[in-house]
Amino acid sequence: MAREAQDFIAAVRTGTGKGAARQARREGNVPAIVYGDGKEPVALNISYNYLLKRLKQGRFLQSLLNLKVEGHDDVHVVCRGVQRDVVKDLPTHVDFLRIHDDSKIELFIHVEFVNHEASPGLKRGGTLTIVRAEVELEVTAGDIPDHITVDLTGKQIGDVIHINDITLPAGAKPTVARNFVVANIAAPSGLAASAED
């Protein structure tokens, strides 16, 4: 279920600061920085179109990336943030964190719901209300799960699914100590209205 590290290509950016970042943007690049693992930060340029394509694929912030920079060894990184233009909502800067395969990191992991047809509550017209489509988990960098699965088999109207009800992948644990709600099966609106009369 763990995802492989996807190759991600960047180039070293000469110079730092606002002037160098503006120059990079004029040349069709997005400035970035990679830091962590006790090494010096490295300023990078990423092709704007290449980055936009990767962002549109989804789950960019949850992916383990194999950063390839010419003249440097490949290194595993996770994206720690994408700054965006406040008006155009387009990427203006990216932060990457270097990690080892055994590093513990906190990432938002997608929640997938299966066996809708095996839920008596949904068959009776109940609605699956998703409270959290993603859950923040502490995971091992070399074993980032693609998603966590919620089995809806046997779920009735009124049932609430908490994080402790979900079988998490080995080595993964929630970053929040309390047993928070992930989803519930709500009564159909007509049934709820008649119950209130």
Side-chain angles (χ1 to χ4, degrees), residues 97-140:
L97 175 66
R98 288 185 199 100
I99 51 172
H100 292 298
D101 285 353
D102 56 356
S103 302
K104 290 284 189 186
I105 53 172
E106 295 176 357
L107 290 177
F108 282 93
I109 305 298
H110 178 69
V111 181
E112 194 170 276
F113 297 87
V114 297
N115 297 327
H116 292 71
E117 67 287 344
S119 164
L122 292 177
K123 277 186 179 172
R124 288 182 44 220
T127 307
L128 175 64
T129 304
I130 299 171
V131 178
R132 294 181 187 230
E134 294 180 335
V135 175
E136 190 175 29
L137 300 178
E138 182 184 277
V139 295
T140 308

Side-chain angles (χ1 to χ4, degrees), residues 25 42 44 117-118 135 149 162 169 180:
R25 291 185 192 104
V42 177
L44 304 172
E117 67 287 344
V135 175
T149 304
H162 293 86
F180 56 85

Side-chain angles (χ1 to χ4, degrees), residues 38-57:
K39 297 175 185 161
E40 284 296 307
V42 177
L44 304 172
N45 277 337
I46 304 165
S47 163
Y48 177 81
N49 292 333
Y50 177 70
L51 176 63
L52 211 54
K53 182 179 168 193
R54 295 300 291 266
L55 289 171
K56 285 181 179 175
Q57 287 174 356

Side-chain angles (χ1 to χ4, degrees), residues 35-106:
Y35 59 89
D37 200 20
K39 297 175 185 161
E40 284 296 307
V42 177
L44 304 172
N45 277 337
I46 304 165
S47 163
Y48 177 81
N49 292 333
Y50 177 70
L51 176 63
L52 211 54
K53 182 179 168 193
R54 295 300 291 266
L55 289 171
K56 285 181 179 175
Q57 287 174 356
R59 300 196 199 171
F60 188 70
L61 292 165
Q62 294 103 336
S63 297
L64 180 64
L65 303 171
N66 184 37
L67 186 65
K68 291 181 162 295
V69 179
E70 195 174 324
H72 290 257
D73 293 336
D74 289 5
V75 61
H76 282 167
V77 297
V78 289
C79 179
R80 271 304 181 214
V82 178
Q83 292 158 21
R84 294 176 177 270
D85 183 285
V86 291
V87 177
K88 299 176 184 170
D89 195 39
L90 297 172
T92 57
H93 192 275
V94 186
D95 292 342
F96 292 106
L97 175 66
R98 288 185 199 100
I99 51 172
H100 292 298
D101 285 353
D102 56 356
S103 302
K104 290 284 189 186
I105 53 172
E106 295 176 357

